[in-house]
Amino acid sequence: MSKRSSRDRRLHAETRLVHEGTLRSEFGETSEALFLTQGHVYASAEECEARFKGESPGFLYARFSNPTVSMFEQRIASFEGAEAARATATGMAAVTAALMGLLQAGDHIVAARALFGSCRYVVAELLPRFGVASTLVDGTNLNAWRGAVRPETKVFFLESPANPTLEVIDIAAVAQIAREVGAKLVVDNVFSSPLWQKPLELGADCVVYSATKHIDGQGRCLGGVILGSEDFIQTHIHTLLRQTGPSMSPFNAWVLLKSLETLPLRVERQTRTAAIVADALAGHSKIRRLIYPGRADHPQAAVIARQMKGGSTLIALEIEGGKAGAFRFLNALELIRISNNLGDAKSLITHPATTTHQRFTPEERAEMGVSEGLVRLSIGLEHTDDLINDLLRALKRV
Ligand SMILES: *Cc1c(COP(=O)(O)O)cnc(C)c1O
Protein backbone atom coordinates (compact mmCIF):
# COMPACT_ATOMS: atom_id res chain seq x y z
CA MET A 1 0.00 0.00 0.00
CA SER A 2 1.39 3.39 -0.92
CA LYS A 3 1.87 6.30 1.45
CA ARG A 4 -1.05 8.53 2.24
CA SER A 5 -1.38 11.72 0.27
CA SER A 6 0.36 14.45 2.24
CA ARG A 7 -1.60 16.39 4.83
CA ASP A 8 -0.90 19.72 3.23
CA ARG A 9 -2.61 22.44 5.24
CA ARG A 10 -2.09 24.92 2.41
CA LEU A 11 -4.69 23.10 0.35
CA HIS A 12 -8.24 24.33 0.71
CA ALA A 13 -10.79 22.35 2.66
CA GLU A 14 -12.73 21.25 -0.46
CA THR A 15 -9.54 19.91 -2.01
CA ARG A 16 -8.65 17.96 1.11
CA LEU A 17 -12.15 16.44 1.17
CA VAL A 18 -11.38 14.86 -2.20
CA HIS A 19 -7.81 13.71 -1.59
CA GLU A 20 -6.95 13.57 2.10
CA GLY A 21 -6.19 10.21 3.65
CA THR A 22 -6.17 8.23 0.39
CA LEU A 23 -4.34 4.91 0.72
CA ARG A 24 -3.71 3.49 -2.76
CA SER A 25 -3.10 -0.22 -3.15
CA GLU A 26 -0.57 -1.74 -5.56
CA PHE A 27 -3.22 -1.46 -8.31
CA GLY A 28 -3.22 2.34 -8.29
CA GLU A 29 -7.02 2.61 -8.24
CA THR A 30 -8.52 6.08 -8.80
CA SER A 31 -11.45 5.67 -6.43
CA GLU A 32 -10.59 4.61 -2.90
CA ALA A 33 -10.81 0.85 -2.39
CA LEU A 34 -13.32 -0.89 -0.18
CA PHE A 35 -11.23 -3.16 2.05
CA LEU A 36 -14.02 -5.49 3.14
CA THR A 37 -11.81 -7.57 5.42
CA GLN A 38 -11.98 -8.47 9.09
CA GLY A 39 -8.24 -8.91 9.41
CA HIS A 40 -4.84 -9.00 7.75
CA VAL A 41 -2.18 -11.66 7.25
CA TYR A 42 1.38 -11.23 8.48
CA ALA A 43 4.62 -12.25 6.77
CA SER A 44 5.89 -13.86 9.96
CA ALA A 45 5.01 -14.51 13.58
CA GLU A 46 7.58 -11.87 14.51
CA GLU A 47 5.81 -9.28 12.33
CA CYS A 48 2.48 -10.20 13.92
CA GLU A 49 3.96 -9.77 17.40
CA ALA A 50 5.47 -6.40 16.45
CA ARG A 51 2.11 -5.15 15.11
CA PHE A 52 0.26 -6.16 18.27
CA LYS A 53 2.90 -4.42 20.39
CA GLY A 54 2.52 -1.30 18.25
CA GLU A 55 6.18 -1.50 17.21
CA SER A 56 5.38 -2.00 13.52
CA PRO A 57 2.80 0.07 11.66
CA GLY A 58 -0.05 -1.66 9.88
CA PHE A 59 -3.53 -2.97 10.31
CA LEU A 60 -4.58 -5.78 12.63
CA TYR A 61 -8.27 -6.38 13.01
CA ALA A 62 -11.28 -4.37 11.86
CA ARG A 63 -12.57 -3.87 15.41
CA PHE A 64 -9.62 -1.48 15.92
CA SER A 65 -8.75 -0.28 12.44
CA ASN A 66 -9.25 -0.95 8.76
CA PRO A 67 -7.74 0.81 5.72
CA THR A 68 -11.08 2.11 4.41
CA VAL A 69 -12.23 3.22 7.86
CA SER A 70 -8.84 4.86 8.36
CA MET A 71 -9.22 6.84 5.09
CA PHE A 72 -12.58 8.12 6.31
CA GLU A 73 -11.10 9.09 9.70
CA GLN A 74 -8.15 10.94 8.15
CA ARG A 75 -10.35 12.82 5.71
CA ILE A 76 -12.93 14.00 8.23
CA ALA A 77 -10.19 14.90 10.74
CA SER A 78 -8.48 17.04 8.12
CA PHE A 79 -11.70 18.84 7.26
CA GLU A 80 -12.64 19.39 10.89
CA GLY A 81 -9.15 20.67 11.71
CA ALA A 82 -8.73 17.90 14.32
CA GLU A 83 -5.52 15.98 14.95
CA ALA A 84 -7.33 12.67 15.29
CA ALA A 85 -10.66 10.97 14.59
CA ARG A 86 -12.23 7.62 15.39
CA ALA A 87 -15.19 6.28 13.43
CA THR A 88 -18.04 4.45 15.14
CA ALA A 89 -21.02 2.37 14.03
CA THR A 90 -23.57 5.14 14.65
CA GLY A 91 -23.80 8.68 15.92
CA MET A 92 -25.13 7.40 19.24
CA ALA A 93 -22.11 5.08 19.57
CA ALA A 94 -19.92 8.18 19.13
CA VAL A 95 -21.84 10.19 21.76
CA THR A 96 -21.91 7.28 24.24
CA ALA A 97 -18.23 6.40 23.78
CA ALA A 98 -17.10 10.03 24.05
CA LEU A 99 -18.97 10.47 27.35
CA MET A 100 -18.10 7.02 28.76
CA GLY A 101 -14.47 7.60 27.87
CA LEU A 102 -14.36 10.79 29.95
CA LEU A 103 -16.44 9.80 32.97
CA GLN A 104 -16.35 7.33 35.84
CA ALA A 105 -18.47 6.64 38.91
CA GLY A 106 -18.52 9.64 41.24
CA ASP A 107 -18.17 12.18 38.40
CA HIS A 108 -20.77 14.72 37.32
CA ILE A 109 -21.83 15.93 33.86
CA VAL A 110 -23.64 19.17 32.97
CA ALA A 111 -25.55 19.15 29.68
CA ALA A 112 -27.81 21.52 27.80
CA ARG A 113 -31.40 20.31 28.19
CA ALA A 114 -32.36 20.81 24.53
CA LEU A 115 -31.01 17.51 23.22
CA PHE A 116 -31.79 14.82 20.69
CA GLY A 117 -33.90 12.20 22.54
CA SER A 118 -31.21 9.48 22.58
CA CYS A 119 -28.53 11.94 23.75
CA ARG A 120 -30.80 12.97 26.60
CA TYR A 121 -31.34 9.28 27.50
CA VAL A 122 -27.57 8.70 27.72
CA VAL A 123 -26.99 11.80 29.87
CA ALA A 124 -30.04 11.68 32.14
CA GLU A 125 -30.77 7.94 32.43
CA LEU A 126 -27.82 5.75 31.35
CA LEU A 127 -24.87 7.57 32.97
CA PRO A 128 -26.60 7.83 36.39
CA ARG A 129 -26.95 4.00 36.37
CA PHE A 130 -23.15 3.87 36.44
CA GLY A 131 -22.74 6.39 39.24
CA VAL A 132 -22.34 9.52 37.10
CA ALA A 133 -24.65 12.32 38.29
CA SER A 134 -26.08 14.62 35.62
CA THR A 135 -27.61 18.09 35.60
CA LEU A 136 -29.54 19.51 32.65
CA VAL A 137 -29.47 23.28 32.19
CA ASP A 138 -30.85 25.93 29.86
CA GLY A 139 -27.81 25.93 27.56
CA THR A 140 -28.39 29.48 26.39
CA ASN A 141 -27.99 30.79 29.97
CA LEU A 142 -24.28 30.98 30.84
CA ASN A 143 -25.05 31.49 34.54
CA ALA A 144 -26.95 28.19 34.51
CA TRP A 145 -23.77 26.36 33.36
CA ARG A 146 -21.73 28.06 36.12
CA GLY A 147 -24.41 27.41 38.74
CA ALA A 148 -24.59 23.68 37.95
CA VAL A 149 -20.87 23.05 38.44
CA ARG A 150 -19.80 20.87 41.36
CA PRO A 151 -16.28 19.91 42.50
CA GLU A 152 -16.71 16.57 40.69
CA THR A 153 -17.94 18.06 37.36
CA LYS A 154 -15.81 16.52 34.59
CA VAL A 155 -17.78 17.05 31.38
CA PHE A 156 -19.98 19.66 29.67
CA PHE A 157 -22.09 18.38 26.77
CA LEU A 158 -24.20 20.30 24.26
CA GLU A 159 -25.77 20.29 20.81
CA SER A 160 -25.84 23.54 18.86
CA PRO A 161 -28.06 24.06 16.98
CA ALA A 162 -30.09 21.58 19.02
CA ASN A 163 -32.30 18.83 17.63
CA PRO A 164 -35.11 19.73 16.92
CA THR A 165 -35.60 23.25 18.32
CA LEU A 166 -32.57 24.82 16.58
CA GLU A 167 -31.68 26.53 19.85
CA VAL A 168 -28.11 27.87 19.62
CA ILE A 169 -25.54 27.95 22.41
CA ASP A 170 -22.49 30.22 22.66
CA ILE A 171 -19.84 27.48 22.35
CA ALA A 172 -16.82 29.74 23.02
CA ALA A 173 -18.40 31.07 26.22
CA VAL A 174 -19.33 27.60 27.49
CA ALA A 175 -15.83 26.33 26.57
CA GLN A 176 -14.35 29.17 28.63
CA ILE A 177 -16.41 28.14 31.69
CA ALA A 178 -15.42 24.49 31.13
CA ARG A 179 -11.74 25.46 31.11
CA GLU A 180 -12.13 27.51 34.29
CA VAL A 181 -13.65 24.58 36.19
CA GLY A 182 -11.44 21.87 34.66
CA ALA A 183 -14.20 20.13 32.69
CA LYS A 184 -13.98 18.85 29.10
CA LEU A 185 -16.49 20.20 26.57
CA VAL A 186 -18.02 17.71 24.12
CA VAL A 187 -20.10 19.20 21.27
CA ASP A 188 -22.55 17.22 19.14
CA ASN A 189 -22.17 19.19 15.89
CA VAL A 190 -24.64 17.26 13.75
CA PHE A 191 -27.07 20.10 13.10
CA SER A 192 -24.52 22.57 11.78
CA SER A 193 -22.69 19.85 9.78
CA PRO A 194 -18.88 19.96 9.56
CA LEU A 195 -19.20 22.76 7.00
CA TRP A 196 -20.66 25.60 9.03
CA GLN A 197 -19.21 25.36 12.52
CA LYS A 198 -15.85 24.27 13.99
CA PRO A 199 -16.32 23.64 17.73
CA LEU A 200 -12.62 22.79 18.27
CA GLU A 201 -11.67 26.28 17.06
CA LEU A 202 -14.24 27.68 19.49
CA GLY A 203 -12.55 25.88 22.41
CA ALA A 204 -14.32 22.50 22.61
CA ASP A 205 -12.20 19.45 23.49
CA CYS A 206 -14.18 16.96 21.45
CA VAL A 207 -16.64 17.00 18.54
CA VAL A 208 -19.01 14.16 17.71
CA TYR A 209 -21.09 13.54 14.59
CA SER A 210 -23.76 11.23 13.44
CA ALA A 211 -22.32 10.59 9.95
CA THR A 212 -25.76 9.18 9.15
CA LYS A 213 -26.95 12.74 8.54
CA HIS A 214 -25.22 15.29 6.24
CA ILE A 215 -22.01 13.27 5.87
CA ASP A 216 -23.83 10.42 4.13
CA GLY A 217 -26.39 12.88 2.81
CA GLN A 218 -28.25 10.27 0.82
CA GLY A 219 -29.91 8.21 3.53
CA ARG A 220 -27.94 4.97 3.13
CA CYS A 221 -25.59 4.21 6.01
CA LEU A 222 -25.36 4.69 9.75
CA GLY A 223 -22.08 6.01 11.10
CA GLY A 224 -20.50 8.22 13.72
CA VAL A 225 -17.21 9.93 14.40
CA ILE A 226 -15.36 11.32 17.45
CA LEU A 227 -12.75 14.05 16.85
CA GLY A 228 -10.22 15.78 19.06
CA SER A 229 -6.50 16.22 19.67
CA GLU A 230 -4.23 13.19 19.34
CA ASP A 231 -3.73 13.28 23.11
CA PHE A 232 -7.49 13.47 23.79
CA ILE A 233 -8.26 10.52 21.52
CA GLN A 234 -5.37 8.41 22.85
CA THR A 235 -6.10 9.17 26.50
CA HIS A 236 -9.88 8.93 26.57
CA ILE A 237 -11.25 7.22 23.46
CA HIS A 238 -8.81 4.82 21.77
CA THR A 239 -8.75 1.97 24.30
CA LEU A 240 -12.47 2.15 25.07
CA LEU A 241 -13.36 1.77 21.37
CA ARG A 242 -10.72 -0.90 20.76
CA GLN A 243 -11.86 -3.05 23.68
CA THR A 244 -15.63 -2.55 23.45
CA GLY A 245 -16.05 -2.59 19.66
CA PRO A 246 -18.70 -0.10 18.45
CA SER A 247 -16.80 -0.13 15.12
CA MET A 248 -17.84 1.33 11.77
CA SER A 249 -18.18 -1.29 9.05
CA PRO A 250 -15.67 -0.88 6.19
CA PHE A 251 -18.57 -0.82 3.74
CA ASN A 252 -20.23 2.11 5.53
CA ALA A 253 -16.84 3.83 5.80
CA TRP A 254 -16.41 3.56 2.04
CA VAL A 255 -19.84 5.10 1.36
CA LEU A 256 -19.22 7.88 3.87
CA LEU A 257 -15.69 8.53 2.59
CA LYS A 258 -16.95 9.05 -0.95
CA SER A 259 -19.80 11.21 0.38
CA LEU A 260 -17.32 13.58 2.01
CA GLU A 261 -16.16 14.58 -1.49
CA THR A 262 -19.53 16.20 -2.19
CA LEU A 263 -20.37 17.42 1.32
CA PRO A 264 -19.72 21.16 0.69
CA LEU A 265 -21.69 21.13 -2.58
CA ARG A 266 -24.67 19.45 -0.99
CA VAL A 267 -24.74 21.32 2.31
CA GLU A 268 -24.18 24.72 0.65
CA ARG A 269 -27.08 24.13 -1.73
CA GLN A 270 -29.36 22.69 0.96
CA THR A 271 -28.59 25.64 3.24
CA ARG A 272 -29.25 28.18 0.49
CA THR A 273 -32.58 26.52 -0.31
CA ALA A 274 -33.50 26.30 3.40
CA ALA A 275 -32.91 30.04 3.82
CA ILE A 276 -35.20 30.82 0.86
CA VAL A 277 -37.87 28.41 2.12
CA ALA A 278 -37.68 29.90 5.65
CA ASP A 279 -38.17 33.41 4.24
CA ALA A 280 -41.08 32.23 2.09
CA LEU A 281 -42.87 30.67 5.08
CA ALA A 282 -42.10 33.30 7.73
CA GLY A 283 -45.20 35.17 8.82
CA HIS A 284 -47.62 32.61 7.33
CA SER A 285 -50.94 32.63 9.20
CA LYS A 286 -50.83 28.86 9.87
CA ILE A 287 -47.34 29.02 11.37
CA ARG A 288 -47.19 30.14 14.99
CA ARG A 289 -43.41 30.26 15.07
CA LEU A 290 -40.56 29.67 12.61
CA ILE A 291 -37.02 29.11 13.81
CA TYR A 292 -34.17 29.22 11.33
CA PRO A 293 -30.52 29.90 12.21
CA GLY A 294 -29.59 32.52 9.66
CA ARG A 295 -32.69 34.68 10.00
CA ALA A 296 -32.40 37.91 11.99
CA ASP A 297 -35.39 36.85 14.14
CA HIS A 298 -33.62 33.75 15.53
CA PRO A 299 -33.40 34.26 19.34
CA GLN A 300 -29.59 33.75 19.28
CA ALA A 301 -28.89 35.58 16.01
CA ALA A 302 -25.88 37.41 17.46
CA VAL A 303 -24.24 34.16 18.62
CA ILE A 304 -24.93 32.57 15.23
CA ALA A 305 -23.22 35.47 13.44
CA ARG A 306 -20.14 34.94 15.64
CA GLN A 307 -19.79 31.18 15.57
CA MET A 308 -21.40 29.79 12.40
CA LYS A 309 -20.20 30.35 8.84
CA GLY A 310 -23.60 29.41 7.44
CA GLY A 311 -27.16 28.81 8.53
CA SER A 312 -28.69 25.37 8.58
CA THR A 313 -30.34 22.85 6.31
CA LEU A 314 -33.08 22.52 8.95
CA ILE A 315 -36.09 24.65 9.80
CA ALA A 316 -38.30 24.28 12.89
CA LEU A 317 -41.96 25.23 12.46
CA GLU A 318 -44.68 25.41 15.04
CA ILE A 319 -47.93 24.74 13.21
CA GLU A 320 -51.25 26.17 14.42
CA GLY A 321 -53.59 23.63 16.01
CA GLY A 322 -51.11 21.53 18.01
CA LYS A 323 -50.69 17.86 17.11
CA ALA A 324 -53.83 17.76 14.94
CA GLY A 325 -52.66 20.77 12.93
CA ALA A 326 -49.15 19.36 12.54
CA PHE A 327 -50.49 15.97 11.42
CA ARG A 328 -52.84 17.56 8.86
CA PHE A 329 -49.86 19.53 7.51
CA LEU A 330 -47.59 16.47 7.29
CA ASN A 331 -50.28 14.32 5.68
CA ALA A 332 -51.05 17.01 3.08
CA LEU A 333 -47.44 17.20 1.83
CA GLU A 334 -46.91 15.42 -1.48
CA LEU A 335 -43.23 15.96 -2.30
CA ILE A 336 -41.71 16.30 1.16
CA ARG A 337 -41.79 12.90 2.85
CA ILE A 338 -42.51 12.04 6.47
CA SER A 339 -39.31 10.51 7.87
CA ASN A 340 -37.09 10.94 10.91
CA ASN A 341 -33.76 11.20 9.08
CA LEU A 342 -32.20 14.56 8.23
CA GLY A 343 -29.46 16.02 6.06
CA ASP A 344 -30.71 13.84 3.18
CA ALA A 345 -30.90 14.75 -0.53
CA LYS A 346 -34.65 14.23 -0.12
CA SER A 347 -36.51 16.83 1.91
CA LEU A 348 -37.91 15.12 5.01
CA ILE A 349 -40.23 16.23 7.76
CA THR A 350 -40.83 14.85 11.23
CA HIS A 351 -43.07 15.49 14.24
CA PRO A 352 -40.63 15.23 17.17
CA ALA A 353 -43.26 14.99 19.95
CA THR A 354 -44.52 11.65 18.57
CA THR A 355 -41.20 10.29 17.22
CA THR A 356 -37.68 11.29 18.33
CA HIS A 357 -38.99 12.73 21.62
CA GLN A 358 -42.06 10.50 22.22
CA ARG A 359 -40.58 8.66 25.22
CA PHE A 360 -40.43 11.83 27.33
CA THR A 361 -43.21 13.22 29.53
CA PRO A 362 -45.12 16.29 28.27
CA GLU A 363 -43.29 18.33 30.95
CA GLU A 364 -39.87 17.13 29.75
CA ARG A 365 -40.83 17.87 26.15
CA ALA A 366 -41.99 21.36 27.12
CA GLU A 367 -38.65 21.95 28.88
CA MET A 368 -36.82 20.91 25.68
CA GLY A 369 -39.03 23.22 23.60
CA VAL A 370 -40.73 20.30 21.82
CA SER A 371 -44.36 21.44 21.60
CA GLU A 372 -47.24 19.42 20.14
CA GLY A 373 -47.34 21.59 17.02
CA LEU A 374 -43.57 21.54 16.34
CA VAL A 375 -42.31 19.98 13.11
CA ARG A 376 -38.71 19.67 11.97
CA LEU A 377 -38.12 20.18 8.26
CA SER A 378 -34.88 18.95 6.68
CA ILE A 379 -34.29 20.56 3.31
CA GLY A 380 -32.89 18.41 0.51
CA LEU A 381 -31.62 19.00 -3.01
CA GLU A 382 -34.94 19.53 -4.78
CA HIS A 383 -35.71 22.79 -6.60
CA THR A 384 -36.69 25.59 -4.20
CA ASP A 385 -39.95 26.39 -6.01
CA ASP A 386 -41.19 22.79 -5.84
CA LEU A 387 -40.58 22.70 -2.10
CA ILE A 388 -42.27 26.04 -1.44
CA ASN A 389 -45.28 25.04 -3.56
CA ASP A 390 -45.64 21.78 -1.64
CA LEU A 391 -45.36 23.53 1.75
CA LEU A 392 -47.81 26.34 0.90
CA ARG A 393 -50.32 23.85 -0.53
CA ALA A 394 -50.14 21.72 2.63
CA LEU A 395 -50.44 24.74 4.93
CA LYS A 396 -53.78 25.60 3.28
CA ARG A 397 -55.10 22.24 4.58
CA VAL A 398 -54.24 23.03 8.22
C1 LIG B 1 -29.26 11.63 14.66
C2 LIG B 1 -28.54 12.27 15.76
C3 LIG B 1 -27.73 11.51 16.63
C4 LIG B 1 -27.63 10.02 16.53
O1 LIG B 1 -27.10 9.54 15.34
P1 LIG B 1 -27.33 8.04 14.81
O2 LIG B 1 -26.38 7.94 13.68
O3 LIG B 1 -28.78 7.94 14.42
O4 LIG B 1 -27.00 7.12 15.94
C5 LIG B 1 -27.06 12.19 17.62
N1 LIG B 1 -27.18 13.52 17.77
C6 LIG B 1 -27.94 14.27 16.97
C7 LIG B 1 -28.03 15.74 17.19
C8 LIG B 1 -28.65 13.67 15.93
O5 LIG B 1 -29.42 14.43 15.13
Side-chain angles (χ1 to χ4, degrees):
M1 198 126 70
S2 74
K3 256 182 77 219
R4 284 181 198 281
S5 59
S6 68
R7 302 193 68 180
D8 190 340
R9 296 287 177 197
R10 287 168 305 180
L11 293 173
H12 290 86
E14 294 83 350
T15 309
R16 285 186 274 117
L17 273 183
V18 177
H19 291 282
E20 187 75 47
T22 300
L23 287 166
R24 285 215 165 78
S25 80
E26 63 195 287
F27 302 114
E29 62 279 355
T30 313
S31 171
E32 295 77 352
L34 165 52
F35 290 94
L36 196 57
T37 180
Q38 294 166 342
H40 302 265
V41 297
Y42 313 100
S44 66
E46 288 79 7
E47 170 61 16
C48 182
E49 180 186 20
R51 290 239 194 131
F52 268 82
K53 285 183 169 164
E55 290 163 0
S56 166
F59 295 96
L60 291 158
Y61 187 56
R63 170 149 46 79
F64 333 142
S65 63
N66 165 276
T68 310
V69 176
S70 173
M71 287 190 255
F72 170 71
E73 291 170 340
Q74 291 279 329
R75 195 166 286 184
I76 182 73
S78 167
F79 190 63
E80 190 69 30
E83 287 173 7
R86 288 290 185 279
T88 55
T90 66
M92 282 321 302
V95 170
T96 307
L99 298 182
M100 289 284 215
L102 285 167
L103 291 159
Q104 60 184 24
D107 289 346
H108 174 238
I109 176 173
V110 183
R113 66 191 180 191
L115 291 178
F116 176 57
S118 302
C119 293
R120 181 150 164 150
Y121 164 79
V122 171
V123 169
E125 294 181 51
L126 183 68
L127 291 176
R129 276 175 34 199
F130 296 89
V132 176
S134 67
T135 306
L136 296 167
V137 298
D138 171 357
T140 62
N141 178 351
L142 297 176
N143 288 329
W145 289 95
R146 278 185 209 286
V149 170
R150 304 178 192 169
E152 60 276 18
T153 304
K154 294 285 160 52
V155 174
F156 281 9
F157 176 64
L158 63 86
E159 284 172 25
S160 182
N163 182 355
T165 57
L166 303 178
E167 177 177 291
V168 168
I169 297 174
D170 187 336
I171 296 174
V174 174
Q176 175 65 32
I177 300 170
R179 259 196 311 279
E180 283 165 24
V181 303
K184 300 270 188 248
L185 173 61
V186 179
V187 174
D188 180 335
N189 205 36
V190 165
F191 264 51
S192 83
S193 91
L195 192 63
W196 297 139
Q197 179 170 271
K198 304 283 186 197
L200 297 176
E201 286 173 14
L202 296 166
D205 299 284
C206 177
V207 180
V208 291
Y209 287 104
S210 164
T212 314
K213 313 294 169 55
H214 302 90
I215 293 176
D216 177 305
Q218 288 151 87
R220 299 159 297 183
C221 292
L222 295 173
V225 61
I226 306 172
L227 300 116
S229 69
E230 189 65 48
D231 179 58
F232 179 91
I233 296 290
Q234 283 302 332
T235 307
H236 302 290
I237 306 299
H238 177 78
T239 305
L240 178 79
L241 291 180
R242 180 174 169 140
Q243 306 300 355
T244 63
S247 325
M248 176 179 279
S249 107
F251 179 81
N252 288 6
W254 179 77
V255 173
L256 298 167
L257 171 71
K258 299 305 289 176
S259 300
L260 284 177
E261 297 177 354
T262 57
L263 178 84
L265 290 176
R266 290 183 282 105
V267 175
E268 266 165 32
R269 169 64 75 88
Q270 286 167 256
T271 302
R272 192 167 1 122
T273 305
I276 297 167
V277 170
D279 287 344
L281 298 184
H284 192 286
S285 63
K286 303 286 179 61
I287 297 175
R288 187 172 290 181
R289 191 156 171 240
L290 179 147
I291 310 163
Y292 180 69
R295 273 178 60 85
D297 59 4
H298 189 286
Q300 289 95 30
V303 178
I304 292 166
R306 274 205 305 279
Q307 76 183 19
M308 296 183 73
K309 289 195 278 282
S312 176
T313 65
L314 291 128
I315 305 169
L317 301 170
E318 195 176 333
I319 306 298
E320 286 291 346
K323 178 181 167 186
F327 273 31
R328 266 198 298 278
F329 174 56
L330 261 59
N331 291 334
L333 290 164
E334 290 172 9
L335 176 63
I336 298 170
R337 308 314 305 257
I338 303 168
S339 178
N340 47 292
N341 195 18
L342 61 96
D344 200 287
K346 293 178 174 62
S347 290
L348 302 173
I349 196 158
T350 193
H351 182 248
T354 53
T355 59
T356 54
H357 292 69
Q358 54 86 18
R359 59 187 304 282
F360 299 103
T361 64
E363 294 73 33
E364 286 169 332
R365 279 200 292 273
E367 185 190 287
M368 286 185 268
V370 178
S371 67
E372 294 295 306
L374 187 80
V375 300
R376 184 193 76 194
L377 173 60
S378 170
I379 296 293
L381 290 170
E382 302 92 340
H383 194 284
T384 313
D385 295 348
D386 294 332
L387 294 174
I388 292 172
N389 288 340
D390 196 34
L391 289 160
L392 292 178
R393 192 170 48 222
L395 281 169
K396 282 205 190 94
R397 308 272 291 275
V398 173

